[in-house]
Amino acid sequence: MKINLKKVELANGETIAYREREGGDKKLLLIHGNMTSSKHWDLILENIDASFKVFAVDLRGFGESSYQEKIFSLKDFSDDIKLWADEIGLTDFAMIGWSTGGGVAMQFAIDYPGYANKLILLESVSTRGYPYFAVDDSGMPDFTKRLTTYEQIKNDRIRVIPTQTAYEQKNREFLRAVWNAVIYNHNQPEPWRYEEYIDDMLTQRNYAEVIHALNMFNISAVDNEAAKGTNQASNIQIPVHVLRGEHDLVVTANMTQEIIADLGEIASYIELKNCGHSPLVDDLGQLLEVITDFLNI
């Protein structure tokens, strides 16, 4: 089915690009994670049932979207999505948030009830954020010292600076090595598709800001070293389906259990067998079946 790349100007001065796939009456919005854009949803866009009309946004600072003003919270992204949805007249849709996109989707459901009717959290950041820790003299994470400021994140010499340098130098092999180690540790995309994904990674302009936003995200009732809990998770009223690959090396099982605990009875959970952080590549058939079963209930 035809997939169109479109752009709209938002009232806040940003330009949001998005992919739109033709389909039926059921509307589905896909929200990508860090180091990606709507491009990384291509396997879903190409293969999900024709009864779904599918939209996939490029968040601010990713893909073809602009980056006029820096983001410092996941709420900045979700506010953009609200402006974008109003601009194109999109309402009554389901959402899938992948990784960082899961946090964005949860914040959107909290702040703008009445837009989304269901939510799927795919390998999602916890309701309590994604913690980043200081590095000790040996170069290992010091789990007793969580980072708390953007400046600390920006100056992280083990993860942030090397990744930012790889972007600036267009170091494809560095990015490929990282993804082979932690994302595509089970299966890999077709070679031509993988090259397109790396092209897409190199469009990101806000890596340190996103890491900071993830570290500070906390919609639970539990305070942590970086941020006080807002307890907003209790305001999500739509059905939520939580999906985690059993071999995910990015999102831990404990983070997923935090989501389930904080969302309570509105949340259901499925473990995706033989999948890591990218079930789209590891087992697309299994993922599509789980997604469509939940959305068609």
Side-chain angles (χ1 to χ4, degrees), residues 1-288:
M1 300 187 71
K2 189 173 182 181
I3 301 170
N4 297 308
L5 180 62
K6 301 181 177 182
K7 293 183 179 181
V8 294
E9 303 288 332
L10 303 186
N12 63 6
E14 300 292 343
T15 300
I16 295 297
Y18 64 101
R19 286 173 164 84
E20 180 180 323
R21 196 209 71 175
E22 299 170 352
D25 295 332
K26 292 178 285 188
K27 293 169 285 187
L28 176 62
L29 171 60
L30 309 175
I31 305 174
H32 65 82
N34 200 13
M35 300 183 77
T36 63
S37 80
S38 63
K39 167 64 183 173
H40 275 72
W41 285 112
D42 57 358
L43 290 167
I44 296 289
L45 290 163
E46 294 166 11
N47 292 284
I48 198 167
D49 189 86
S51 60
F52 292 96
K53 183 177 179 67
V54 189
F55 303 83
V57 295
D58 287 356
L59 297 174
R60 190 196 312 182
F62 294 88
E64 297 294 319
S65 289
S66 66
Y67 196 51
Q68 305 294 343
E69 296 291 333
K70 284 188 174 184
I71 68 96
F72 289 104
S73 71
L74 298 189
K75 179 173 170 54
D76 291 333
F77 288 137
S78 64
D79 288 347
D80 284 352
I81 289 175
K82 194 270 184 184
L83 293 176
W84 167 80
D86 287 346
E87 195 67 34
I88 70 168
L90 183 63
T91 58
D92 193 27
F93 51 88
M95 290 190 294
I96 303 178
W98 181 10
S99 198
T100 296
V104 176
M106 285 188 281
Q107 189 68 61
F108 180 89
I110 290 163
D111 291 337
Y112 304 109
Y115 280 78
N117 50 45
K118 287 185 178 181
L119 172 58
I120 294 175
L121 298 175
L122 177 63
E123 320 293 341
S124 176
V125 60
S126 170
T127 41
R128 305 175 193 184
Y130 196 100
Y132 277 79
F133 297 95
V135 176
D136 63 23
D137 292 338
S138 66
M140 298 300 293
D142 182 348
F143 295 111
T144 67
K145 296 179 181 178
R146 184 165 175 169
L147 302 182
T148 58
T149 69
Y150 172 61
E151 288 300 317
Q152 290 172 332
I153 293 286
K154 191 169 63 172
N155 293 313
D156 171 35
R157 66 183 189 275
I158 300 300
R159 294 147 298 187
V160 174
I161 290 176
T163 303
Q164 194 64 57
T165 301
Y167 281 147
E168 293 166 1
Q169 297 177 351
K170 300 193 182 303
N171 188 339
R172 304 175 69 85
E173 293 314 307
F174 175 91
L175 297 174
R176 192 191 312 275
V178 170
W179 279 64
N180 287 348
V182 297
I183 311 294
Y184 298 142
N185 55 300
H186 188 57
N187 286 329
Q188 290 191 357
E190 301 158 276
W192 65 268
R193 202 183 291 271
Y194 203 163
E195 295 305 316
E196 291 185 354
Y197 289 167
I198 295 174
D199 289 340
D200 184 58
M201 294 177 209
L202 291 169
T203 67
Q204 184 174 3
R205 286 141 282 157
N206 55 10
Y207 184 77
E209 293 93 294
V210 175
I211 298 300
H212 173 64
L214 288 167
N215 188 50
M216 300 298 293
F217 184 67
N218 189 359
I219 56 172
S220 77
V222 179
D223 294 348
N224 58 44
E225 302 95 317
K228 290 187 176 295
T230 65
N231 198 27
Q232 291 176 305
S234 61
N235 294 337
I236 298 177
Q237 301 297 319
I238 57 177
V240 182
H241 207 30
V242 183
L243 310 179
R244 179 182 178 270
E246 62 175 335
H247 302 304
D248 192 342
L249 299 180
V250 177
V251 172
T252 66
N254 184 63
M255 291 178 189
T256 301
Q257 288 304 313
E258 289 173 350
I259 296 172
I260 295 166
D262 292 338
L263 293 181
E265 61 184 18
I266 65 167
S268 53
Y269 171 67
I270 286 183
E271 181 179 77
L272 300 173
K273 301 301 180 183
N274 297 314
C275 288
H277 196 64
S278 179
L280 294 81
V281 170
D282 287 337
D283 192 338
L284 180 63
Q286 178 185 186
L287 178 61
L288 287 172

